[in-house]
Amino acid sequence: MDADRSAVYLVKVGELTLKGGNIKDFEQRLVQNAQLYLEGKNAHVRLRSGRMYVEAPESSVPAVEYALNHLVGIAGWAKARIVEARIEDIRCAVMEEAVKARDAGARTFKVEARRSDKSFPLNSHEISCEAGAAVHEAGILSVDVHRPDAVIWVELRERCYVYGAQKPGHRGLPCGTGGKGLLLLSGGIDSPVAGFRMLSRGMKIDCLYFHSHPYTSPEAQGKVEDLARALARYGVGTHLNVVPFTKVQEKIRDTAPPDYATVLLRMCMMKVANKACAMTGAKAIVTGESLGQVASQTVENLTVTNSCAEYPVLRPLIGMDKDEIIAVAKRIGTYETSILPYEDCCVLFSPRHPVLRANLEETEAIYRSMDIEGLLEEAFEQREHKRFGWLP
Ligand code: ATP
Ligand code: MG
């Protein structure tokens, strides 16, 4: 082994094993993405028989762990030690892992051995028993093969790997294998989670945000930028387009029945999203809507919104409840930003009694009577663009 690549990580590749024909593309993309996180870190990434191996110098350990904590398309990972393929060495390494597990609070354990090197004199079961007995006899942990607190893995492949605690990965498919989507990103809890859901299905995500200065503050936009930055870390970078929507909102307020304001605003957002998709090459629009969560999210109102979209509208949260959404937001680190109390543009002009089941023809007629297309074009032309990278 390269002397200055002493840290070794074993990475379990998730769902990729299911992908028959195009598995090569998925694997290649996963490796490329991992390499992007590790540029300049003297790390080596390779994939072999459904496992990814990352080797790097000890000094690059924080960068490797950052990468594995953000990379989508992996089921889990562990820092492993490489030992000589001799039972004495395996036993020693397993004992050291057992001590670590005990110090972390475990009381029971089992050894799980796998052997693809069939020339090794002991079979998997014998390796587990030998190494396990040593730990047990030394009084470090006691054996429980059914519900152990800790599992210590021994994998005899072209080299012998021993490892303990595994960290879960984000699963899904490698970002960049599923085309590009345009996320309508607001400062709320939902839309960043929707973006994460799609990027963890392989979609590259660009973001679009509508602001209403001076009704909304620069802090509200700062919050959206922070959310885009957070998503960029999983999505191997993202672009954020910021479109000024003040005049659009004022026009809706001044010319349309108040109860229709929210659904009309949604229609306007879709019209601008179409332009942004055409510009960026996105093939779908992604939103954080969840059925019934607020008035604009009834099936009738979503139908009206859809009528303006020239691209499929993906709503990955449509059947999720708020608690589930919040759990994901906390896991991906967007929750704390999302709950900061800066007002959103929609809230300011929200009608007191929004129409719950907008009629498509009626709403389209109101939309047309506003004669708002010119303003939408102007708003889009005035967009600002920002780019966020994937590194901390
Ligand atoms: P979120 O928590 O994502 O803000 P929400 O439950 O508050 O969602 P709405 O305000 O009705 O719901 O917004 C529904 C969806 O519309 C959002 O998830 C987002 O995709 C999009 N959206 C709303 N406001 C904006 C905005 N200012 N800029 C871009 N997209 C927006
Ligand atoms: Mg919102």
Side-chain angles (χ1 to χ4, degrees):
M1 184 183 24
D2 190 335
D4 54 0
R5 285 198 186 129
S6 47
V8 178
Y9 288 79
L10 246 68
V11 184
K12 287 193 177 148
V13 174
E15 212 179 315
L16 289 190
T17 42
L18 302 176
K19 285 289 168 295
N22 43 10
I23 183 145
K24 279 275 160 293
D25 298 342
F26 284 84
E27 289 186 344
Q28 239 174 28
R29 179 62 71 139
L30 183 65
V31 170
Q32 272 171 15
N33 287 352
Q35 284 166 338
L36 285 172
Y37 285 95
L38 294 168
E39 250 163 35
K41 300 293 174 190
N42 190 22
H44 180 69
V45 183
R46 75 194 154 92
L47 219 145
R48 195 174 152 153
S49 328
R51 272 302 158 81
M52 193 164 77
Y53 299 83
V54 181
E55 295 178 27
E58 276 299 326
S59 59
S60 295
V61 158
V64 175
E65 298 196 354
Y66 174 87
L68 298 175
N69 279 327
H70 289 87
L71 191 64
V72 294
I74 61 176
W77 56 273
K79 190 169 185 217
R81 62 184 77 208
I82 294 181
V83 301
E84 289 294 327
R86 289 194 306 246
I87 191 64
E88 311 83 76
D89 293 276
I90 294 172
R91 206 186 288 132
C92 273
V94 168
M95 299 260 275
E96 284 171 36
E97 284 302 330
V99 169
K100 270 208 264 173
R102 181 195 61 195
D103 293 349
R107 302 165 68 110
T108 59
F109 84 112
K110 75 169 173 182
V111 177
E112 220 21 282
R114 297 268 155 75
R115 176 183 79 133
S116 59
D117 173 9
K118 304 289 180 202
S119 67
F120 194 74
L122 305 179
N123 68 26
S124 305
H125 181 68
E126 290 163 341
I127 300 170
S128 300
C129 292
E130 277 275 335
V135 172
H136 189 75
E137 279 155 24
I140 303 169
L141 294 170
S142 47
V143 177
D144 182 345
V145 290
H146 301 295
R147 300 182 62 194
D149 297 334
V151 180
I152 299 170
W153 302 82
V154 177
E155 291 195 19
L156 262 162
R157 295 173 171 245
E158 69 314 331
R159 294 190 292 189
C160 179
Y161 302 92
V162 176
Y163 57 95
Q166 289 183 65
K167 294 261 177 68
H170 291 292
R171 298 183 177 269
L173 300 171
C175 192
T177 54
K180 190 194 277 186
L182 179 78
L183 170 67
L184 300 194
L185 180 62
S186 70
I189 295 170
D190 305 320
S191 48
V193 172
F196 177 78
R197 282 252 143 162
M198 293 324 297
L199 72 80
S200 64
R201 294 311 299 167
M203 212 169 220
K204 205 64 198 131
I205 291 290
D206 276 359
C207 306
L208 178 63
Y209 167 62
F210 301 95
H211 78 70
S212 302
H213 299 323
Y215 301 103
T216 55
S217 58
E219 285 83 359
Q221 182 174 328
K223 185 174 151 179
V224 172
E225 288 174 15
D226 285 344
L227 293 171
R229 195 172 282 118
L231 282 178
R233 294 179 174 172
Y234 301 99
V236 202
T238 193
H239 296 265
L240 170 66
N241 280 293
V242 179
V243 172
F245 240 33
T246 312
K247 286 189 189 158
V248 171
Q249 291 213 283
E250 287 172 342
K251 175 98 174 185
I252 296 174
R253 181 193 60 195
D254 298 341
T255 59
D259 299 356
Y260 282 78
T262 309
V263 67
L264 290 167
L265 177 64
R266 284 278 173 278
M267 294 169 87
C268 293
M269 288 183 177
M270 284 300 159
K271 295 274 183 174
V272 174
N274 293 334
K275 298 178 197 292
C277 284
M279 178 187 75
T280 61
K283 296 284 187 285
I285 297 167
V286 180
T287 78
E289 289 155 316
S290 165
L291 193 65
Q293 203 187 74
V294 290
S296 59
Q297 300 175 16
T298 61
V299 74
E300 291 83 357
N301 289 1
L302 295 177
T303 305
V304 173
T305 315
N306 278 9
S307 72
C308 292
E310 291 162 15
Y311 295 81
V313 183
L314 306 180
R315 300 183 169 96
L317 312 189
I318 198 72
M320 287 173 75
D321 65 45
K322 199 78 185 185
D323 292 341
E324 292 175 280
I325 297 169
I326 288 174
V328 181
K330 287 185 172 164
R331 179 161 63 82
I332 64 173
T334 54
Y335 182 73
E336 296 302 324
T337 307
S338 290
I339 58 173
L340 292 173
Y342 305 116
E343 67 299 328
D344 184 22
C345 74
C346 314
V347 185
L348 293 170
F349 295 85
S350 290
R352 203 143 349 143
H353 303 291
V355 55
L356 290 179
R357 304 189 194 294
N359 171 280
L360 183 57
E361 285 74 37
E362 234 171 86
T363 318
E364 279 175 340
I366 299 171
Y367 178 87
R368 278 193 303 273
S369 74
M370 292 194 304
D371 190 20
I372 206 166
E373 298 282 337
L375 270 188
L376 297 181
E377 186 60 47
E378 200 181 295
F380 183 64
E381 288 312 317
Q382 289 169 359
R383 71 189 174 274
E384 257 182 84
H385 169 262
K386 299 190 180 225
R387 187 164 194 292
F388 300 99
W390 51 92
L391 297 177

